[in-house]
Amino acid sequence: MEPVKIGILGVGAISGIYLQNLTHLFREVEVLGVYDLFREKCEKAQAEYHFPKIYDSQEALLQDPEVQIVLNLTRPFEHYETTKAALLAGKHVYSEKPLAATYEQGKELVALAREKGLMLGGAPDTFLGSGIQTCRKLIDDGYIGTPVGAAAFMICRGHESWHPSPEFYYQFGGGPMMDMGPYYLTALVNLLGGVSSLTGVTKASFAQRTITSEPKKGQVIQVEVPTHVTGIMNFENGAVGTILTTFDVHYDTQARLEIYGSEGTLSVPDPNGFGGPVKLLRPEDGSWKEIPLLFDYQENSRGLGLADMAKALQTGRPFRADCEQTLHVLEIMTGFEKSSREGRLLQLESRYTRKAPMHRGPVQGILD
């Protein structure tokens, strides 16, 4: 089959690993060209990754008849407008997380994609990696018995001490839940299934943040979003989950993500990565046992979800990181703040069905 041609909007920090993998690892896609407001970024990327086109505008990329899928790597608060423009131009879209800044925007995008018969999906795709896929197999094969609960924690003091332009983390579309929540919640729904209801408590602990990283050291950021978010989720399978994401706390290690079952406990690896370690605790063992990883893609394989979408476009099969998933995760994330604001248990509108697990292929970079 001919490779699926990709046009990329945005050549920021995350674009490097996408370009590396889309040009060197995944064999059924081809990067056709890129557009960014800063042309020098495009030229630097082209010199390193050797794709044929640099577009002079977003419109030029969207009107190129050769582009089949638009990879949206713009800033989070821009995802809605850029994804909508791409869908209106008749392009399939794979977007970085989150799908949009509000659930209402996300619903609009999903409705538009379905109306036009276009594929819409997006990050994170770390759940397709070896670590979380191994965990899914252990759960599905009964190694922890019946799932009864889960706990997920993302704890840090924010990004203003290291990121060169951290303002957007504290503006509309930002915050720890919208930034890092997609990794944890996407992992949880892939391991346990959809969420039926939730409750949340959110706050902004500090009204201002001072940048201590270069080149904006000393600049003060006005905080517009919750920076400490605690949520409780009722999963449709009966399990109860807890999640905490915060930019307000000093912490020196990676916090945990665990799944609790009637016959054991599973320690899930960092959902911001593709690999392990995976650890299983069963009563007959009395201590944690590390489990070998059972699937491909242990290293940073960003673009795996896009490659899976491209394969689905070629073959007509469903793809795994689709908009049913990204919309459900978006409703959960925004639901915590809504629940906190309204002081009530929130019944979710969206529904989610787990997609097929990954299969170990004979050639890495070519999907099932």
Side-chain angles (χ1 to χ4, degrees), residues 149-291:
F153 298 87
M154 194 297 296
I155 304 174
C156 75
R157 192 59 175 80
H159 300 339
E160 62 269 27
S161 64
W162 61 270
H163 197 283
S165 296
E167 302 96 319
F168 72 89
Y169 288 108
Y170 301 99
Q171 297 169 349
F172 177 67
M177 181 57 71
M178 297 295 279
D179 177 43
M180 296 299 295
Y183 297 107
Y184 291 80
L185 291 168
T186 300
L188 285 171
V189 300
N190 272 274
L191 297 175
L192 296 175
V195 172
S196 58
S197 63
L198 59 80
T199 187
V201 178
T202 70
K203 65 179 291 190
S205 300
F206 311 103
Q208 297 177 328
R209 313 288 287 234
T210 300
I211 300 175
T212 58
S213 58
E214 297 294 347
K216 299 182 178 181
K217 186 174 182 179
Q219 180 176 321
V220 175
I221 304 169
Q222 302 298 323
V223 176
E224 302 173 0
V225 294
T227 52
H228 193 94
V229 180
T230 300
I232 299 174
M233 299 160 284
N234 292 307
F235 288 86
E236 291 179 356
N237 68 354
V240 176
T242 301
I243 186 169
L244 165 67
T245 65
T246 182
F247 283 165
D248 298 343
V249 176
H250 294 283
Y251 209 74
D252 67 344
T253 59
Q254 171 61 40
R256 70 186 187 275
L257 172 56
E258 296 173 341
I259 308 295
Y260 310 120
S262 60
E263 298 176 25
T265 297
L266 188 62
S267 176
V268 181
D270 181 356
N272 193 17
F274 288 79
V278 173
K279 297 180 180 179
L280 177 66
L281 174 64
R282 288 181 58 89
E284 62 268 26
D285 295 327
S287 61
W288 293 102
K289 303 295 183 184
E290 186 162 342
I291 306 299

Side-chain angles (χ1 to χ4, degrees), residues 28 128 296-297 304 307-308 310-312 314-315 317-318 320 356-363 365-368:
E28 295 166 301
L128 298 173
D296 295 323
Y297 307 108
L304 177 55
D308 186 66
K311 186 72 171 193
Q314 290 175 326
T315 64
R317 69 158 170 81
R320 296 172 171 94
M358 292 290 283
H359 300 285
R360 196 179 185 100
V363 179
I366 297 178
L367 301 186
D368 60 289

Side-chain angles (χ1 to χ4, degrees), residues 44-63:
K44 182 179 178 181
Q46 187 181 49
E48 185 170 357
Y49 298 106
H50 309 295
F51 47 82
K53 297 184 181 183
I54 294 176
Y55 296 95
D56 292 326
S57 66
Q58 174 178 300
E59 291 72 22
L61 186 153
L62 298 182
Q63 294 304 316

